[in-house]
Amino acid sequence: MKHREEQEDATVSAFSTLIRQHGCESSLDDGLQPPKRFKGDPGSLNDPPAATSLLVALIEGLKQTYRSIAQPRARCYALANLVELLTAFTELGAEGSPLPVVEYLEKISSVVSLWTSDTESQFHHSGLDEKVKEAERSMSLLPMAKLSREELFGGLDFLCRLLHAWGEELQGTLSSSEGLCYESYRLLDTLTTLGKNLVCFSETRDLGEHETRVVLELTQVTKDFLKETSASLKGKDLDASLVSSVAMTIIEQKLDRHVEMCSVFASEKTWAFSKDWADCLVKSKALFQKPELVLKLLETLVNFAVSRQDKEGRELQMRVTKAIVECYTELSLTDKNKVISGILASWGGPGLSLNLQAVMEGFQEDLNVTFNQITKSVSDEGLTRAVASVARLVLLHPEATVKQVCNLAVVNLGAHQFLAQILCSFPVLSFLETPDDPGRPCSLVVRCLEEAVWGRLSTVREEEQFLEFLAVLMQPSSAAPLVSPAEVTKAFVLPYLKSDCAQIDLSLQILSKVLGIQSCSEEHWIKSCHPFPLLLSLCRLLDGYTKYWHRPKDQLFPLLESKDLVLSILCQLCEVVRPEAAPSPELWVQSLAWLHRKVASLDWTIGLRLKKLYGDHFKNEVPATLFEICTLPEDEWTSQPLPAYGPGSGLLAWMECCCVSTALRETMLTLLTVSVDNPEEVNLFSKGFLVALIQVLPWCSHSEWKRLTHVVENLLQRQVLHVPYTLEYVQYMPLLNLRPFACCLQFSVLLLRGFQLLCSSSCSSWLPAEAWLHVVQLYCSSLTDLLGSVKSTAGLPSHPKEDRTSTQEVSFVCIQMFCHLLHVAAMLPDTGCGEPLVVVALEILSQYETFSSADTSPSNALRRANERHFLESITDNVGDEALRGTLLQKLGKLGARSAGEPA
């Protein structure tokens, strides 16, 4: 049963001969050949099974010879063989539950120890390898076919009689001063196991009267025998060095259960870091390429590093660490993540760096070299290689590696996406730390971002890269997100959403980005980020914009360019913060009421922006004067007394409503009551409209101004707004059809009149110097849109929509807009607003050139010469030297080109 090799074995041959002599030829080969043939020949259905052959032969032999067996060792061996066979061939054996590996190792070590100390043992002079192999063979009997119930109890009954016959004498021998030998150890060990199995067998099987008597008697005999001799089984304590040597032999020779033995080897700290232990690890590295074994080795390594700081200890550390890292390197990425997870759970972000100082000496240089190579060769093909390089660094110092990635992602142009993909290959880095407050865990990656990057972003480009890097971490293309929108919001938005915070503009961009990420669960992540206080913070920011140009100069506040972002975020939040975000309907109503009460002290237009959130709970609250110019349904609208909105302010309130949203703008245009049949009413409305427009203009964001320009176009087309086109920039009466371009010309004139009012003495101290650039930018954006509208109305210069004369009309319109722009430029205070004006003026001249050169009429050359002379004379009067010089240079080029054309 111990025989495993394919070659013939002397014991097997001798036993085969013996059984043959007793008439069991039919099953000799199947029962006694190597294990692959133990199952028997399926063709011989009447043959007794191999189990019966072996056990019958043994029992028969014992029955005939037991009186002649006198030596205690031989008796112990015979009994042990019988017990083992009964256990292996019957239901007594514990199915599928091998000995725990530590107990298994102790037994093998005990056997080896006994053979080593026993000079009579046949294995006394064998080497350790041979002893361990033989000990394993003796403990690893092959599974055999089971005996019948009758044969089982016959065998048990015979064992009981043998124990009665030899028991007393054997007890005396085992209790003597000679101590244990291998044979007696085997007997005591097998009987101990049998005793346990018999108890379990009697409790779990339905036994007959005779069977019960046999089991109870054998149980009692075994118990009595062991009571007198169990002290001998304990013997002396095993030598730890022998146990470790046996374990290492099993591993190096890849004997039975060597895989399980690797686990004991890796975690047994009393063996670790001997020379043999280190040699065994290095030689058998391939067996330790499993995440759980690498982790156990690392724990053992750290334990040793803490206790040994001498030179020899440091050298051993280096050697063992190298071997462990090589084992780790061969793991799959999934298994590497398991190891990193264990490191983070045991030692947190610093990982092994806390205790392995000798190993960490060259880490920083290694870190720099590795990432220099990675950032120089950014490619999808190199991702696998880069991940492998970073995996080694993460193993040694997770925190430092993540910080390096975060830093490089910001400062290396274009590398952020590649570096984010590398980080996302290690999903375990989303590890939650609880350093200060266990109730508020923080992600390792988020903390590294805060410490390595946040607050150190010095350029707009770095902020953009940081934002894009975050976006990939939250939504990688082919991996699980490494950070969640909620984590990002709590770390980089909520603490900084105050108007006097330096990072507020970037925080707003981050909030906009995270709100665009879909929630993975039914419950939106925003619920965990205090949505109503968040809404209130945004509302307060919007309220701050109403005083934007009159706040103290040293007071921090988000840029006016960020106003559209705040508006967009508020709109997004109103979409995602639904009643489901509250634990109960009652709490939802209470939260709305709280927000409504808080917003009441802010600018009245903010309440209108929350209408989607308010639903039918609250009406739109507006200045009472708005009701004077609009037919507002009272079931949806209500007035509130606002001292700042006195008589005649209805149009201002109406225009502010138009700025709120596209939907509300269309509602306002529909509800506006102006009688076009009443000239006086139209005139009054037109004058009031211009005044209101100028009042709103400086505080408009770009999107709000776009809404207002649509209002102007709509009212001009409906002829509700009267803007007479004047001829102050016309040299002669143009015999052209300007009707298709009437709105464009009127709008340009309206903007000119607005600036005349804005730059007049009555408004001279109204705006601070820094406000003028914003106003000019809005003006220039409108002129650019008007140019596009003119071009769209006219069609392509080479294929005009009506006839060739449209090229002359477009040229005329461009000249008028150019003159209006120069007029505005002349009125503006000297506050450095020239750049956007130059850009638009050059754009107008380019469009003029395109259309005028497409004119093929005979008088075109003369007309172009006259127009150029007119434009140059107007430009000569511009006070801004830079603007004047640039435009004259452009006009000079136009003149040179036209002079070369045939008349």
Side-chain angles (χ1 to χ4, degrees), residues 773-799:
L773 178 60
H774 176 68
V775 171
V776 168
Q777 285 173 333
L778 295 181
Y779 169 64
C780 289
S781 71
S782 293
L783 287 188
T784 301
D785 290 343
L786 285 178
L787 273 178
S789 180
V790 168
K791 189 175 180 180
S792 174
T793 302
L796 295 173
S798 56
H799 298 90

Side-chain angles (χ1 to χ4, degrees), residues 291 331-341 425-428:
L331 297 177
S332 68
L333 185 56
T334 302
D335 284 344
K336 283 175 181 168
N337 270 289
K338 289 178 183 175
V339 174
I340 297 165
S341 176
S425 300
F426 302 98
V428 293

Side-chain angles (χ1 to χ4, degrees), residues 508-520:
L508 288 169
Q509 292 179 59
I510 292 170
L511 181 55
S512 177
K513 184 74 75 175
V514 296
L515 284 172
I517 294 175
Q518 295 298 316
S519 183
C520 299

Side-chain angles (χ1 to χ4, degrees), residues 378-639:
V378 173
S379 68
D380 291 338
E381 293 79 17
L383 181 60
T384 304
R385 192 165 57 253
V387 168
S389 300
V390 174
R392 185 174 46 80
L393 299 171
V394 175
L395 173 76
L396 297 174
H397 199 328
E399 181 182 299
T401 308
V402 174
K403 284 184 176 180
Q404 185 81 330
V405 173
C406 296
N407 184 56
L408 291 173
V410 170
V411 300
N412 271 268
L413 190 62
H416 58 277
Q417 185 161 358
F418 187 67
L419 290 167
Q421 285 177 303
I422 292 173
L423 268 195
C424 289
S425 300
F426 302 98
V428 293
L429 292 176
S430 59
F431 174 73
L432 292 179
E433 302 174 318
T434 53
D436 303 317
D437 183 358
R440 297 183 62 190
C442 175
S443 160
L444 169 65
V445 174
V446 171
R447 179 174 66 80
C448 289
L449 281 165
E450 285 183 299
E451 294 177 6
V453 179
W454 187 253
R456 302 183 186 185
L457 302 166
S458 56
T459 65
V460 172
R461 184 58 198 161
E462 285 187 359
E463 290 184 353
E464 288 172 357
Q465 294 237 139
F466 176 73
L467 196 59
E468 290 168 14
F469 182 62
L470 265 184
V472 181
L473 294 182
M474 289 187 286
Q475 278 190 311
S477 56
S478 59
L482 198 53
V483 294
S484 69
E487 285 177 316
V488 170
T489 302
K490 289 171 185 175
F492 302 115
V493 177
L494 298 183
Y496 306 99
L497 212 59
K498 300 187 287 285
S499 60
D500 59 349
C501 189
Q503 292 98 335
I504 186 165
D505 285 293
L506 181 55
S507 290
L508 288 169
Q509 292 179 59
I510 292 170
L511 181 55
S512 177
K513 184 74 75 175
V514 296
L515 284 172
I517 294 175
Q518 295 298 316
S519 183
C520 299
S521 60
E522 291 182 12
E523 187 176 87
H524 199 282
W525 58 264
I526 197 68
K527 183 177 178 180
S528 66
C529 296
H530 317 292
F532 281 92
L534 181 56
L535 283 162
L536 180 60
S537 296
L538 292 167
C539 291
R540 284 175 172 158
L541 283 177
L542 285 178
D543 184 64
Y545 279 113
T546 61
K547 312 171 203 51
Y548 187 82
W549 298 120
H550 298 122
R551 71 188 192 287
K553 288 188 177 180
D554 58 347
Q555 185 185 69
L556 286 170
F557 197 81
L559 300 170
L560 189 56
E561 286 76 7
S562 296
K563 185 181 180 184
D564 274 339
L565 189 58
V566 177
L567 292 170
S568 170
I569 292 168
L570 189 63
C571 184
Q572 285 176 283
L573 267 176
C574 289
E575 289 282 352
V576 299
V577 180
R578 310 307 301 151
E580 299 79 31
S584 67
E586 295 78 17
L587 196 59
W588 171 258
V589 173
Q590 289 173 16
S591 301
L592 279 184
W594 174 85
L595 184 63
H596 182 264
R597 189 168 62 253
K598 293 288 185 180
V599 169
S601 61
L602 307 179
D603 186 69
W604 64 274
T605 59
I606 294 170
L608 300 180
R609 299 183 188 277
L610 297 172
K611 182 59 181 172
K612 185 167 283 188
L613 194 70
Y614 287 162
D616 297 328
H617 291 278
F618 302 103
K619 292 182 180 181
N620 291 322
E621 299 173 340
V622 295
T625 52
L626 183 60
F627 283 81
E628 296 171 7
I629 62 164
C630 279
T631 52
L632 299 173
E634 294 188 3
D635 58 332
E636 295 179 31
W637 298 77
T638 183
S639 63

Side-chain angles (χ1 to χ4, degrees), residues 264-334:
V264 180
F265 174 92
S267 54
E268 185 53 67
K269 296 176 177 59
T270 56
W271 308 345
F273 285 86
S274 66
K275 184 180 182 302
D276 290 341
W277 186 90
D279 289 343
C280 179
L281 175 61
V282 172
K283 278 190 274 185
S284 306
K285 280 184 301 194
L287 297 177
F288 291 89
Q289 289 168 14
K290 293 182 179 177
E292 59 274 13
L293 293 181
V294 171
L295 267 173
K296 285 181 178 179
L297 285 169
L298 288 172
E299 288 171 11
T300 304
L301 173 64
V302 168
N303 183 72
F304 174 78
V306 171
S307 60
R308 280 277 299 273
Q309 300 293 337
D310 59 310
K311 183 182 177 184
E312 185 184 353
R314 290 164 73 86
E315 288 172 356
L316 262 173
Q317 273 188 60
M318 297 297 287
R319 185 181 180 212
V320 171
T321 303
K322 184 172 180 282
I324 297 172
V325 171
E326 286 172 3
C327 293
Y328 168 82
T329 303
E330 294 301 318
L331 297 177
S332 68
L333 185 56
T334 302

Side-chain angles (χ1 to χ4, degrees), residues 648-701:
S649 63
L651 199 50
L652 174 62
W654 179 85
M655 200 170 284
E656 288 179 292
C657 285
C658 289
C659 290
V660 169
S661 68
T662 303
L664 191 54
R665 178 193 68 193
E666 296 307 311
T667 301
M668 290 293 105
L669 285 169
T670 304
L671 299 178
L672 180 66
T673 54
V674 178
S675 175
V676 292
D677 298 327
N678 186 335
E680 186 178 350
E681 189 172 336
V682 171
N683 271 325
L684 279 172
F685 171 79
S686 300
K687 289 176 183 177
F689 185 90
L690 181 62
V691 173
L693 188 68
I694 294 309
Q695 283 180 278
V696 172
L697 171 63
W699 283 268
C700 276
S701 68

Side-chain angles (χ1 to χ4, degrees), residues 27-146:
S27 60
L28 294 182
D29 290 344
D30 294 327
L32 304 172
Q33 287 303 310
K36 288 186 179 177
R37 300 174 58 192
F38 270 19
K39 292 181 181 177
D41 182 1
S44 308
L45 298 176
N46 297 320
D47 292 346
T52 306
S53 304
L54 286 168
L55 192 63
V56 167
L58 178 66
I59 292 177
E60 183 61 29
L62 277 175
K63 282 180 179 178
Q64 293 181 23
T65 60
Y66 82 91
R67 290 182 182 84
S68 305
I69 302 173
Q71 289 183 2
R73 288 192 181 216
R75 288 180 173 183
C76 288
Y77 208 77
L79 283 168
N81 281 343
L82 181 57
V83 173
E84 280 200 346
L85 284 172
L86 282 169
T87 303
F89 287 132
T90 66
E91 303 168 58
L92 285 174
E95 290 287 344
S97 54
L99 278 177
V101 68
V102 174
E103 192 176 333
Y104 175 80
L105 175 60
E106 285 176 359
K107 285 195 175 186
I108 289 181
S109 301
S110 296
V111 170
V112 171
S113 176
L114 289 168
W115 282 339
T116 303
S117 60
D118 185 0
T119 55
E120 294 182 32
S121 168
Q122 62 175 314
F123 300 109
H124 177 70
H125 297 290
S126 301
L128 181 63
D129 290 5
E130 285 302 314
K131 286 175 182 169
V132 173
K133 281 181 185 177
E134 186 57 36
E136 277 213 330
R137 288 179 70 202
S138 68
M139 290 184 59
S140 306
L141 299 184
L142 289 166
M144 305 297 292
K146 298 300 180 187

Side-chain angles (χ1 to χ4, degrees), residues 793-863:
T793 302
L796 295 173
S798 56
H799 298 90
K801 288 187 177 179
E802 294 178 17
D803 53 44
R804 294 285 174 184
T805 57
S806 66
T807 57
Q808 296 176 25
E809 282 136 4
V810 173
S811 299
F812 176 82
V813 172
C814 288
I815 290 170
Q816 298 308 298
M817 289 174 63
F818 181 78
C819 294
H820 296 160
L821 181 145
L822 293 187
H823 192 152
V824 169
M827 292 185 291
L828 288 172
D830 186 16
T831 54
C833 303
E835 187 178 340
L837 292 169
V838 168
V839 172
V840 179
L842 292 174
E843 195 177 336
I844 293 171
L845 289 178
S846 294
Q847 188 154 317
Y848 161 77
E849 180 186 13
T850 302
F851 277 89
S852 63
S853 60
D855 185 4
T856 57
S857 61
S859 59
N860 182 41
L862 176 62
R863 184 167 48 254

